[in-house]
Short mmCIF file of all heavy atoms in Angstrom, two decimals:
data_model
loop_
_atom_site.label_atom_id
_atom_site.label_comp_id
_atom_site.label_asym_id
_atom_site.label_seq_id
_atom_site.Cartn_x
_atom_site.Cartn_y
_atom_site.Cartn_z
N SER A 412 23.65 -1.07 5.43
CA SER A 412 22.85 -2.09 4.84
C SER A 412 21.56 -2.48 5.45
O SER A 412 20.73 -3.04 4.81
CB SER A 412 23.67 -3.47 4.79
OG SER A 412 23.72 -3.85 6.33
N GLY A 413 21.17 -1.83 6.64
CA GLY A 413 20.08 -2.27 7.35
C GLY A 413 20.28 -3.58 8.25
O GLY A 413 21.19 -4.26 7.97
N TRP A 414 19.46 -3.69 9.12
CA TRP A 414 19.55 -4.81 10.12
C TRP A 414 18.85 -6.07 9.54
O TRP A 414 17.67 -5.92 8.97
CB TRP A 414 19.03 -4.39 11.48
CG TRP A 414 19.68 -3.32 12.12
CD1 TRP A 414 19.28 -1.93 12.34
CD2 TRP A 414 20.99 -3.59 12.89
NE1 TRP A 414 20.27 -1.34 13.00
CE2 TRP A 414 21.28 -2.17 13.47
CE3 TRP A 414 21.81 -4.70 13.28
CZ2 TRP A 414 22.49 -2.05 14.20
CZ3 TRP A 414 22.93 -4.40 13.98
CH2 TRP A 414 23.27 -3.11 14.41
N ARG A 415 19.51 -7.27 9.79
CA ARG A 415 18.89 -8.45 9.48
C ARG A 415 19.05 -9.40 10.66
O ARG A 415 20.01 -9.53 11.31
CB ARG A 415 19.61 -9.10 8.28
CG ARG A 415 19.36 -8.56 6.95
CD ARG A 415 18.09 -8.98 6.33
NE ARG A 415 18.02 -10.32 6.20
CZ ARG A 415 18.52 -11.12 5.21
NH1 ARG A 415 19.19 -10.48 4.22
NH2 ARG A 415 18.32 -12.42 5.11
N GLU A 416 17.93 -10.11 11.00
CA GLU A 416 17.94 -11.02 12.06
C GLU A 416 18.59 -12.30 11.62
O GLU A 416 18.18 -12.80 10.54
CB GLU A 416 16.42 -11.18 12.62
CG GLU A 416 16.48 -12.15 13.88
CD GLU A 416 15.12 -12.08 14.52
OE1 GLU A 416 14.34 -11.24 14.27
OE2 GLU A 416 14.84 -13.12 15.28
N VAL A 417 19.27 -12.89 12.56
CA VAL A 417 19.95 -14.19 12.13
C VAL A 417 19.86 -15.14 13.36
O VAL A 417 19.97 -14.62 14.58
CB VAL A 417 21.45 -13.95 11.85
CG1 VAL A 417 22.21 -13.07 12.92
CG2 VAL A 417 22.29 -15.29 11.57
N THR A 418 19.75 -16.31 13.14
CA THR A 418 19.60 -17.44 14.14
C THR A 418 20.57 -18.60 13.96
O THR A 418 21.40 -18.51 12.95
CB THR A 418 18.15 -18.01 14.24
OG1 THR A 418 17.95 -18.66 12.98
CG2 THR A 418 17.13 -16.80 14.31
N ALA A 419 20.52 -19.46 14.99
CA ALA A 419 21.41 -20.70 14.79
C ALA A 419 20.89 -21.72 13.98
O ALA A 419 21.45 -22.64 13.53
CB ALA A 419 21.62 -21.25 16.13
N ALA A 420 19.57 -21.53 13.52
CA ALA A 420 18.91 -22.60 12.61
C ALA A 420 19.45 -22.54 11.29
O ALA A 420 19.59 -23.56 10.70
CB ALA A 420 17.46 -22.37 12.73
N GLN A 421 19.66 -21.43 10.73
CA GLN A 421 20.09 -21.38 9.32
C GLN A 421 20.85 -20.11 9.08
O GLN A 421 20.56 -19.02 9.44
CB GLN A 421 18.69 -21.34 8.35
CG GLN A 421 19.04 -21.34 7.00
CD GLN A 421 17.64 -21.35 6.21
OE1 GLN A 421 16.71 -22.08 6.57
NE2 GLN A 421 17.51 -20.40 5.11
N ALA A 422 21.84 -20.31 8.19
CA ALA A 422 22.74 -19.12 7.73
C ALA A 422 21.93 -18.23 6.73
O ALA A 422 21.04 -18.78 6.03
CB ALA A 422 23.98 -19.70 7.09
N ILE A 423 22.13 -16.95 6.80
CA ILE A 423 21.40 -16.05 5.94
C ILE A 423 22.51 -15.30 5.06
O ILE A 423 23.59 -15.32 5.38
CB ILE A 423 20.64 -15.00 6.71
CG1 ILE A 423 21.51 -14.05 7.58
CG2 ILE A 423 19.58 -15.55 7.55
CD1 ILE A 423 20.89 -12.85 8.15
N ASN A 424 22.16 -15.06 3.98
CA ASN A 424 23.00 -14.24 2.99
C ASN A 424 22.55 -12.86 2.96
O ASN A 424 21.33 -12.48 2.88
CB ASN A 424 22.75 -14.74 1.49
CG ASN A 424 23.34 -16.23 1.51
OD1 ASN A 424 24.44 -16.48 1.76
ND2 ASN A 424 22.55 -17.11 0.95
N ILE A 425 23.41 -11.94 3.09
CA ILE A 425 23.19 -10.48 3.07
C ILE A 425 23.91 -9.89 1.92
O ILE A 425 25.04 -10.01 1.68
CB ILE A 425 23.96 -9.87 4.46
CG1 ILE A 425 23.31 -10.48 5.70
CG2 ILE A 425 23.55 -8.42 4.50
CD1 ILE A 425 24.05 -10.19 6.94
N ASN A 426 22.95 -9.32 1.02
CA ASN A 426 23.45 -8.68 -0.21
C ASN A 426 23.34 -7.15 -0.06
O ASN A 426 22.10 -6.64 0.21
CB ASN A 426 22.58 -9.15 -1.40
CG ASN A 426 22.98 -10.73 -1.72
OD1 ASN A 426 24.09 -11.13 -2.00
ND2 ASN A 426 22.00 -11.54 -1.28
N PHE A 427 24.29 -6.46 -0.29
CA PHE A 427 24.34 -5.00 -0.11
C PHE A 427 24.70 -4.33 -1.56
O PHE A 427 25.76 -4.35 -1.85
CB PHE A 427 25.32 -4.59 0.82
CG PHE A 427 25.38 -3.24 1.37
CD1 PHE A 427 24.40 -2.36 1.03
CD2 PHE A 427 26.41 -2.69 2.16
CE1 PHE A 427 24.36 -1.07 1.43
CE2 PHE A 427 26.42 -1.42 2.56
CZ PHE A 427 25.44 -0.56 2.23
N GLN A 428 23.66 -3.92 -2.20
CA GLN A 428 23.84 -3.28 -3.48
C GLN A 428 23.89 -1.74 -3.33
O GLN A 428 22.92 -1.17 -2.79
CB GLN A 428 22.70 -3.74 -4.40
CG GLN A 428 22.90 -3.34 -5.93
CD GLN A 428 24.08 -4.24 -6.59
OE1 GLN A 428 24.14 -5.30 -6.20
NE2 GLN A 428 24.64 -3.71 -7.54
N LEU A 429 25.00 -1.10 -3.84
CA LEU A 429 25.14 0.33 -3.77
C LEU A 429 24.43 0.92 -5.10
O LEU A 429 24.36 0.40 -6.10
CB LEU A 429 26.57 0.77 -3.74
CG LEU A 429 27.28 0.16 -2.56
CD1 LEU A 429 28.75 0.70 -2.61
CD2 LEU A 429 26.65 0.55 -1.22
N ASP A 430 23.93 2.16 -4.87
CA ASP A 430 23.42 2.88 -6.11
C ASP A 430 24.36 3.14 -7.13
O ASP A 430 24.12 3.17 -8.38
CB ASP A 430 22.69 4.06 -5.63
CG ASP A 430 21.40 3.87 -4.72
OD1 ASP A 430 20.85 2.69 -4.98
OD2 ASP A 430 21.08 4.70 -4.08
N LYS A 431 25.62 3.49 -6.75
CA LYS A 431 26.65 3.78 -7.68
C LYS A 431 27.97 3.34 -7.04
O LYS A 431 28.07 3.34 -5.89
CB LYS A 431 26.62 5.25 -8.10
CG LYS A 431 26.80 6.15 -6.78
CD LYS A 431 26.74 7.75 -7.21
CE LYS A 431 26.72 8.52 -5.95
NZ LYS A 431 26.66 9.96 -6.40
N PRO A 432 29.05 3.03 -7.91
CA PRO A 432 30.29 2.64 -7.32
C PRO A 432 30.90 3.67 -6.42
O PRO A 432 30.83 4.83 -6.62
CB PRO A 432 31.18 2.47 -8.51
CG PRO A 432 30.20 2.35 -9.69
CD PRO A 432 28.99 3.08 -9.31
N VAL A 433 31.55 3.22 -5.27
CA VAL A 433 32.29 4.17 -4.37
C VAL A 433 33.49 4.68 -5.18
O VAL A 433 34.17 4.04 -5.89
CB VAL A 433 32.66 3.41 -3.15
CG1 VAL A 433 31.37 2.89 -2.41
CG2 VAL A 433 33.54 2.31 -3.32
N ARG A 434 33.83 5.96 -4.79
CA ARG A 434 34.88 6.59 -5.47
C ARG A 434 36.18 6.40 -4.77
O ARG A 434 37.23 6.48 -5.46
CB ARG A 434 34.57 8.12 -5.68
CG ARG A 434 33.39 8.33 -6.54
CD ARG A 434 33.18 10.00 -6.69
NE ARG A 434 32.01 10.19 -7.59
CZ ARG A 434 31.66 11.40 -8.00
NH1 ARG A 434 32.30 12.48 -7.34
NH2 ARG A 434 30.64 11.57 -8.69
N GLU A 435 36.18 6.38 -3.41
CA GLU A 435 37.45 6.31 -2.70
C GLU A 435 37.34 5.01 -1.74
O GLU A 435 36.35 4.39 -1.54
CB GLU A 435 37.49 7.52 -1.73
CG GLU A 435 37.57 8.85 -2.53
CD GLU A 435 38.68 8.98 -3.41
OE1 GLU A 435 39.82 8.35 -3.14
OE2 GLU A 435 38.79 9.82 -4.33
N PRO A 436 38.55 4.54 -1.22
CA PRO A 436 38.56 3.46 -0.27
C PRO A 436 37.75 3.81 0.81
O PRO A 436 37.59 4.83 1.29
CB PRO A 436 40.02 3.30 0.01
CG PRO A 436 40.72 3.95 -1.09
CD PRO A 436 39.91 5.02 -1.53
N MET A 437 37.03 2.72 1.39
CA MET A 437 36.17 2.90 2.51
C MET A 437 36.47 1.75 3.53
O MET A 437 36.96 0.71 3.19
CB MET A 437 34.63 2.75 2.04
CG MET A 437 34.25 3.73 0.91
SD MET A 437 32.52 4.01 0.80
CE MET A 437 32.13 5.03 2.23
N ASP A 438 36.15 2.19 4.73
CA ASP A 438 36.36 1.09 5.92
C ASP A 438 35.00 0.36 6.00
O ASP A 438 33.89 0.86 5.71
CB ASP A 438 36.41 1.88 7.15
CG ASP A 438 37.77 2.67 7.28
OD1 ASP A 438 38.67 2.48 6.33
OD2 ASP A 438 37.86 3.60 8.13
N LEU A 439 35.11 -0.93 6.24
CA LEU A 439 34.04 -1.86 6.42
C LEU A 439 33.89 -2.10 7.97
O LEU A 439 34.79 -2.51 8.58
CB LEU A 439 34.29 -3.15 5.70
CG LEU A 439 33.23 -4.22 5.91
CD1 LEU A 439 31.89 -3.93 5.40
CD2 LEU A 439 33.72 -5.61 5.22
N MET A 440 32.58 -1.88 8.34
CA MET A 440 32.25 -2.21 9.65
C MET A 440 31.12 -3.23 9.84
O MET A 440 30.23 -3.29 9.07
CB MET A 440 31.70 -1.00 10.34
CG MET A 440 32.82 0.19 10.47
SD MET A 440 32.13 1.61 11.22
CE MET A 440 33.31 2.89 10.57
N ILE A 441 31.40 -4.23 10.72
CA ILE A 441 30.54 -5.33 10.98
C ILE A 441 29.75 -5.07 12.32
O ILE A 441 30.55 -4.92 13.34
CB ILE A 441 31.23 -6.73 10.90
CG1 ILE A 441 31.93 -6.90 9.63
CG2 ILE A 441 30.19 -7.91 11.23
CD1 ILE A 441 32.88 -8.09 9.67
N LEU A 442 28.46 -5.06 12.43
CA LEU A 442 27.80 -4.62 13.52
C LEU A 442 26.79 -5.68 13.90
O LEU A 442 26.19 -6.44 13.05
CB LEU A 442 26.99 -3.31 13.27
CG LEU A 442 27.78 -2.01 12.82
CD1 LEU A 442 27.89 -1.96 11.33
CD2 LEU A 442 27.25 -0.89 13.34
N SER A 443 26.51 -5.68 15.31
CA SER A 443 25.46 -6.68 15.71
C SER A 443 24.84 -5.99 16.99
O SER A 443 25.48 -5.22 17.70
CB SER A 443 26.13 -8.09 16.25
OG SER A 443 26.96 -7.88 17.24
N ARG A 444 23.62 -6.44 17.32
CA ARG A 444 22.84 -5.97 18.44
C ARG A 444 21.89 -7.13 18.85
O ARG A 444 21.60 -8.07 18.18
CB ARG A 444 22.14 -4.76 18.18
CG ARG A 444 20.91 -4.85 17.24
CD ARG A 444 20.27 -3.50 16.97
NE ARG A 444 19.04 -3.73 16.16
CZ ARG A 444 18.32 -2.75 15.64
NH1 ARG A 444 18.63 -1.53 15.84
NH2 ARG A 444 17.26 -2.99 14.93
N ALA A 445 21.53 -7.00 20.12
CA ALA A 445 20.57 -8.02 20.66
C ALA A 445 19.14 -7.82 20.15
O ALA A 445 18.68 -6.71 19.79
CB ALA A 445 20.47 -7.94 22.15
N VAL A 446 18.26 -8.85 19.92
CA VAL A 446 17.02 -8.68 19.48
C VAL A 446 15.96 -9.31 20.60
O VAL A 446 14.78 -9.20 20.43
CB VAL A 446 16.67 -9.40 18.16
CG1 VAL A 446 17.54 -8.64 17.21
CG2 VAL A 446 17.13 -10.87 18.16
#
Side-chain angles (χ1 to χ4, degrees):
S412 68
W414 293 101
R415 288 280 305 278
E416 185 171 337
V417 58
T418 66
Q421 178 179 322
I423 64 169
N424 294 307
I425 304 169
N426 293 291
F427 189 9
Q428 189 76 28
L429 304 180
D430 293 333
K431 55 185 178 180
V433 300
R434 296 183 178 181
E435 303 293 337
M437 303 194 79
D438 297 343
L439 171 64
M440 301 179 198
I441 304 167
L442 304 91
S443 69
R444 70 179 185 186
V446 295

